[in-house]
Amino acid sequence: MKERYSRQALFKPIGKTGQEKISDSHVMILGCGALGTANAANLARAGVGKLTIIDRDYVERSNLQRQQLFTDKDAENQVPKVIAAKEKLEAINPEIEVNALILDVTGEELAPYLKDVDLVIDATDNFDIRFVMNDLIHKHKLPWIFGSCVGSTGMSYTILPGESPCLACILDTTTLSGATCDSVGIIAPAVQMVVAHQTAEALKLLVGDVNSLRTQLVMFDLWTNQYQMIKVDRAKKASCPSCGVNPSYPALSYDTRTKTEVLCGRNTVQIRANRHIVLEELASRLEKLGSIHVNKFLLSLHYGDYRVVVFSDGRAFIHGTSSMEEARKIYYQLVG
């Protein structure tokens, strides 16, 4: 057993055999913000053989307080989150493989990336994406670990397709706050508490210790010193369109996908466009408008009262507005 993992292998529920299973495993982390970077760092140190990390965003200074793999230089250079994370993860553990995907999750196009994945960790920041993943992982029979945090609160739940209630079932019976990090803030310890639950559950699944999995929804508030475990097994419904007897997977339908969306709490609209953009050509065309930052992943410029970020896959963030109509107008003016 390698010295790198010797202390972990001394832990009897893992042992040498469990460590070998961890080293042969492939984990997908959807989202590379606070939860995603911390889970990825934990699993890289644990020796997970392959990590696939997926995120659509780039590093900003407001991320640095809680998103532990990023630096001020990453924010200054507007590096895509997965690219910055991959660099740090490979420095943490050069023995593992890190697959970084700058990708906006919209449905079945994610399915090819699930090949050979052993489990999925939810580290997203909105429930539209979570419902897509809920349907997708049930369709492909993969375990996944839900996690969410805001303010000083957090929650986590481990979902086993065919056995436990899915996310849609749980949300039918559980009241959740609509607050976001951008509206009420967040403290880093809340992130770390959720990640501790998620990573621990991931290790249990990877070594095959399903009997030790937590079967309840955990919820906590670190500031008010509240911690509770909620039984949700009765929430599972035979009629559920995602995990029931005759699933239709509604979140994967093309008609339910959002082509333009307001990013929660950020006064920003994302526009999706199925096109490839040569960023250098776009930069040359727009240079008369003012200072432009461009790297091989994205182009950023200030346009009047707005800040516009265009990705090579045709997506764009229009910062400074929550109006989809206004955002589309700006996109057409700049990109065409």
Side-chain angles (χ1 to χ4, degrees), residues 22-284:
I22 291 171
S23 297
D24 290 336
S25 64
H26 180 188
V27 177
M28 174 182 284
I29 300 177
L30 192 65
C32 198
L35 295 178
T37 53
N39 271 295
N42 285 349
L43 292 173
R45 294 182 187 280
V48 166
K50 182 177 180 179
L51 285 173
T52 292
I53 50 176
I54 300 176
D55 198 281
R56 64 186 179 182
D57 212 343
Y58 58 94
V59 182
E60 299 180 272
R61 282 196 168 84
S62 61
N63 303 147
L64 302 180
Q65 163 257 350
R66 66 199 180 281
Q67 299 181 16
Q68 67 182 49
L69 288 180
F70 305 138
T71 66
D72 195 70
K73 187 175 181 181
D74 293 327
E76 180 182 350
N77 293 331
Q78 296 180 325
V79 181
K81 289 184 175 181
V82 293
I83 301 302
K86 175 181 170 69
E87 176 186 343
K88 311 303 189 304
L89 292 169
E90 290 175 339
I92 288 171
N93 189 349
E95 297 177 354
I96 68 169
E97 178 183 352
V98 181
N99 182 26
L101 301 174
I102 308 170
L103 184 66
D104 185 34
V105 178
T106 56
E108 280 287 13
E109 62 266 32
L110 184 63
Y113 299 107
L114 294 172
K115 183 180 179 181
D116 301 326
V117 168
D118 295 297
L119 70 92
V120 179
I121 293 181
D122 165 38
T124 60
D125 60 0
N126 72 80
F127 277 92
D128 287 338
I129 294 175
R130 287 187 176 111
F131 284 129
V132 168
M133 283 307 302
N134 186 59
D135 279 6
L136 197 60
I137 60 97
H138 277 84
K139 186 173 183 179
H140 293 271
K141 310 301 181 187
L142 287 171
W144 76 306
I145 305 170
F146 162 71
S148 176
C149 54
V150 65
S152 58
T153 68
M155 63 179 68
S156 181
Y157 182 65
T158 302
I159 300 173
L160 302 178
E163 298 181 31
S164 54
C166 74
L167 187 63
C169 290
I170 293 173
L171 294 184
D172 255 359
T173 59
T174 305
T175 301
L176 299 182
S177 167
T180 69
C181 299
D182 300 281
S183 60
V184 303
I186 186 170
I187 58 172
V191 174
Q192 294 156 6
M193 177 70 87
V194 174
V195 169
H197 284 92
Q198 287 186 298
T199 304
E201 291 289 282
L203 292 175
K204 295 173 193 177
L205 283 165
L206 295 179
V207 302
D209 189 4
V210 294
N211 291 329
S212 294
L213 289 172
R214 175 176 32 81
T215 59
Q216 298 169 310
L217 171 68
V218 59
M219 304 178 69
F220 64 83
D221 187 329
L222 292 177
W223 208 260
T224 59
N225 305 307
Q226 297 177 357
Y227 188 96
Q228 55 184 323
M229 306 276 279
I230 303 173
K231 288 186 176 181
V232 293
D233 50 300
R234 293 186 179 180
K236 186 171 177 59
K237 297 182 297 184
S239 60
C240 176
S242 297
C243 73
V245 177
N246 296 303
S248 58
Y249 309 116
L252 301 182
S253 167
Y254 180 82
D255 293 336
T256 65
R257 302 182 198 172
T258 305
K259 285 75 180 178
T260 306
E261 65 176 310
V262 178
L263 299 187
C264 189
R266 292 178 60 181
N267 195 31
T268 298
V269 174
Q270 175 181 244
I271 298 203
R272 297 191 186 110
N274 186 20
R275 59 191 295 188
H276 175 72
I277 293 178
V278 180
L279 296 174
E280 292 79 6
E281 293 180 2
L282 181 61
S284 177

Side-chain angles (χ1 to χ4, degrees), residues 275 277-289 292 299 301 331-336:
R275 59 191 295 188
I277 293 178
V278 180
L279 296 174
E280 292 79 6
E281 293 180 2
L282 181 61
S284 177
R285 180 157 59 85
L286 298 178
E287 62 182 357
K288 61 181 179 294
L289 296 178
I292 293 176
L299 174 150
L301 77 155
Y331 183 87
Y332 295 144
Q333 287 173 345
L334 296 178
V335 182

